[in-house]
Amino acid sequence: MSDSPQSPPAANAAIAKSPVIPPPQVAPVATIESLDHEGRGVAHVDGKVVFVEGALPFETVSYRPARKKKQFETASLVDIKVASPQRVSPGCKFFEICGGCALQHADLRLQVASKQRVLEDNLRRIGKVTAGQILPPIYAAPWEYRHRARISAHYVAKKGGVLIGFRERKSSFVADMRSCEVLAGGIGRLISPLRELMSSLDAKDRMPQIELAVGERVTALVIRNLEAVSAVDEARLMAFADRYRDSHRIQWWLQPKGPETAYAFYPSDAPELTYLLPEFDLEILFRPTEFTQVNHRVNRLMVERAINLLDPQPGETVADLFCGLGNFTLPIARRGAKVVGVEGSASLTERGTENARRNGLAANTSFFAADLYTDQESAMRRVPAVTKMLIDPPRDGAMEVCKLLTVEARPELRRLVYVSCSPSTLARDADVLVNVNGFRLTAAGVVNMFPHTAHVESIAVFER
């Protein structure tokens, strides 16, 4: 029997009830290799891919796992042990909470280079193709570039009024922000005044959205109003527009139902909403709820690049598929070619026809409405024989159209310029064009339409 004293029963009970304190968790460490299509740092740890939010290539970081799967993990950044020389201070004080931007902490050159890598990886992996030439990237000033945006307006009593802005990161809540560095026309500096205005309205909880469209001579703010606006609220909106008439050239629009119901409210004598393509001596009219490119400066460069690659000649007939209101159609026509524009929205083809007339190009342009997703075969039968074609589809791409561009169906087609807003669907369609229909991918490059985001736009040229 041991001669050591035994612990009294009370002490044993206390020991049994005391909490077990786990050893401190040591955050795992990784070296970041690249950025993925969402702007997250990519690393490999113990044979598994780890996506680290906020990390940049060539950084050594510690991270906190957030979601674990068999072949990958997502994680949040804990600490930067070795920083990238291309890490910069974000230009917006609300960058950490707002979901509108993902890459303000990365130098612009790194952003563009990462997008180029995403494009090339998609072409190789999904499309099984390689571009004969990598085109120089297209980009412009990265601040105050968004000429179009849809921002939320949400009344939150605990916040003292209406929040105006983009959604929080990975959340449905509206970010509590007071300014925005990427909205064009100085509207980013009006976030606080807009919050005060919307909070003062009787219908502050019945106006969930403001759509922004900045034109050459006017800025349209479209309020989605779920009920008729009272006379008192109308007066408040009018006073706000008058206050910023000279500095921001605001015109209020109201949208009681769908986008087609939007109408100009005040002031009634505001200039028309337009954007310019000065290289082609074009001024294009649009409604604030109609699709136009977000970044006007980059759009000018993109259109010029696309038209130079297409190289339309006087007397040629060219097809422009998914043509919208004529962003590429009219510049092609300005070069002297005859152009047929095809678009799913009848209202946009009407706008394209109007813009052709206003710019003196009605004689060599024609538009017709057809759904190139559900009715592509009959639509393509209406497109005459063309030697050159431009397509600018939505994110879903244009695979069914590309399948129809066989040598047998289109023996005269020699060049196709594809403007894409999704590298994965571009790569998928490139597989069809190159590996099935006999085209060559002669060139491709990125267009940085959305600085500080992971969104990749690109241009590709196919020749047969």
Side-chain angles (χ1 to χ4, degrees):
M1 185 175 70
S2 170
D3 58 358
S4 61
Q6 293 187 356
S7 301
N12 286 334
I15 293 171
K17 292 180 180 179
S18 63
V20 177
I21 301 175
Q25 294 289 324
V26 177
V29 175
T31 299
I32 306 302
E33 303 160 11
S34 61
L35 292 177
D36 77 341
H37 66 282
E38 295 182 19
R40 301 172 299 184
V42 180
H44 288 81
V45 179
D46 297 330
K48 182 183 288 190
V49 180
V50 181
F51 300 99
V52 184
E53 193 85 32
L56 297 178
F58 311 115
E59 290 187 329
T60 301
V61 303
S62 58
Y63 62 90
R64 181 180 298 108
R67 183 185 178 198
K68 293 187 176 182
K69 294 290 185 179
K70 185 176 181 180
Q71 295 182 325
F72 73 90
E73 292 182 11
T74 61
S76 59
L77 179 66
V78 173
D79 184 42
I80 303 171
K81 299 185 177 299
V82 179
S84 166
Q86 292 180 292
R87 178 174 287 275
V88 298
S89 298
C92 176
K93 65 180 69 175
F94 302 101
F95 170 65
E96 296 297 334
I97 62 169
C98 177
C101 295
L103 289 170
Q104 285 192 20
H105 60 298
D107 178 85
L108 186 62
R109 290 167 297 179
L110 173 59
Q111 294 182 31
V112 173
S114 296
K115 295 179 182 186
Q116 185 73 54
R117 185 194 60 78
V118 168
L119 172 63
E120 294 179 43
D121 284 353
N122 275 267
L123 289 172
R124 181 177 60 256
R125 179 172 50 86
I126 299 173
K128 301 179 285 293
V129 295
T130 301
Q133 175 190 0
I134 299 301
L135 299 169
I138 293 174
Y139 58 95
W143 304 107
E144 293 200 25
Y145 73 85
R146 288 202 67 146
H147 287 73
R148 289 184 61 250
R150 189 173 295 157
I151 54 181
S152 297
H154 184 55
Y155 175 65
V156 182
K158 292 182 179 180
K159 296 288 186 178
V162 176
L163 299 182
I164 302 286
F166 296 105
R167 302 285 178 177
E168 293 178 354
R169 294 192 182 198
K170 302 184 184 303
S171 169
S172 61
F173 295 114
V174 181
D176 188 355
M177 53 195 290
R178 300 281 176 172
S179 62
C180 178
E181 302 301 324
V182 299
L183 296 181
I187 298 300
R189 295 185 291 277
L190 285 187
I191 298 295
S192 285
L194 280 168
R195 286 176 60 149
E196 294 172 7
L197 168 68
M198 299 300 286
S199 298
S200 73
L201 299 180
D202 296 335
K204 54 181 168 287
D205 59 344
R206 303 290 291 164
M207 295 180 172
Q209 174 184 292
I210 300 175
E211 191 158 357
L212 160 73
V214 180
E216 294 297 322
R217 293 179 295 278
V218 67
T219 293
L221 296 179
V222 186
I223 291 180
R224 175 70 176 95
N225 56 301
L226 301 179
E227 62 183 30
V229 180
S230 68
V232 174
D233 281 353
E234 284 185 349
R236 289 168 176 151
L237 292 171
M238 293 165 69
F240 186 90
D242 288 339
R243 178 182 174 188
Y244 293 102
R245 180 188 293 265
D246 295 331
S247 60
H248 292 79
R249 306 169 299 171
I250 287 174
Q251 183 185 42
W252 287 112
W253 287 56
L254 297 176
Q255 182 188 323
K257 293 184 180 180
E260 71 284 352
T261 67
Y263 64 94
F265 164 59
Y266 182 85
S268 59
D269 60 348
E272 293 178 316
L273 192 61
T274 64
Y275 69 90
L276 300 179
L277 293 174
E279 175 72 16
F280 301 93
D281 190 27
L282 293 170
E283 183 168 13
I284 297 182
L285 175 73
F286 66 102
R287 285 170 54 85
T289 55
E290 292 174 337
F291 175 79
T292 57
Q293 294 292 352
V294 162
N295 190 327
H296 287 186
R297 287 168 290 193
V298 167
N299 183 57
R300 293 172 182 173
L301 298 172
M302 178 180 71
V303 171
E304 184 179 358
R305 166 77 59 84
I307 301 307
N308 287 340
L309 292 170
L310 191 67
D311 192 28
Q313 298 296 315
E316 283 186 320
T317 301
V318 179
D320 180 13
L321 307 187
F322 307 94
C323 66
L325 47 67
N327 190 52
F328 293 102
T329 320
L330 301 186
I332 294 170
R334 185 66 85 198
R335 289 285 176 90
K338 292 185 179 297
V339 198
V340 178
V342 186
E343 165 60 43
S345 166
S347 63
L348 285 180
T349 59
E350 291 170 4
R351 185 77 62 221
T353 300
E354 180 182 7
N355 278 314
R357 177 185 57 77
R358 289 164 62 102
N359 286 277
L361 295 170
N364 55 335
T365 58
S366 62
F367 295 84
F368 69 85
D371 190 331
L372 289 167
Y373 287 108
T374 63
D375 194 29
Q376 63 273 359
E377 291 191 16
S378 62
M380 293 302 291
R381 284 195 292 268
R382 297 174 62 185
V383 176
V386 295
T387 56
K388 296 171 183 175
M389 181 180 292
L390 187 144
I391 61 177
D392 180 19
R395 293 187 63 82
D396 289 339
M399 184 170 66
E400 296 305 319
V401 169
C402 291
K403 288 179 179 178
L404 298 176
L405 303 181
T406 62
V407 174
E408 294 76 17
R410 292 279 171 177
E412 73 290 337
L413 182 59
R414 295 299 174 198
R415 182 175 300 167
L416 171 69
V417 173
Y418 190 130
V419 180
S420 168
C421 58
S422 169
S424 60
T425 54
L426 167 62
R428 179 203 64 197
D429 295 350
D431 183 19
V432 173
L433 290 170
V434 174
N435 298 316
V436 177
N437 287 341
F439 286 88
R440 293 179 297 112
L441 176 58
T442 57
V446 297
V447 179
N448 197 26
M449 185 68 71
F450 291 83
H452 310 307
T453 77
H455 184 84
V456 182
E457 303 232 355
S458 56
I459 295 180
V461 185
F462 299 87
E463 294 189 358
R464 185 152 55 194

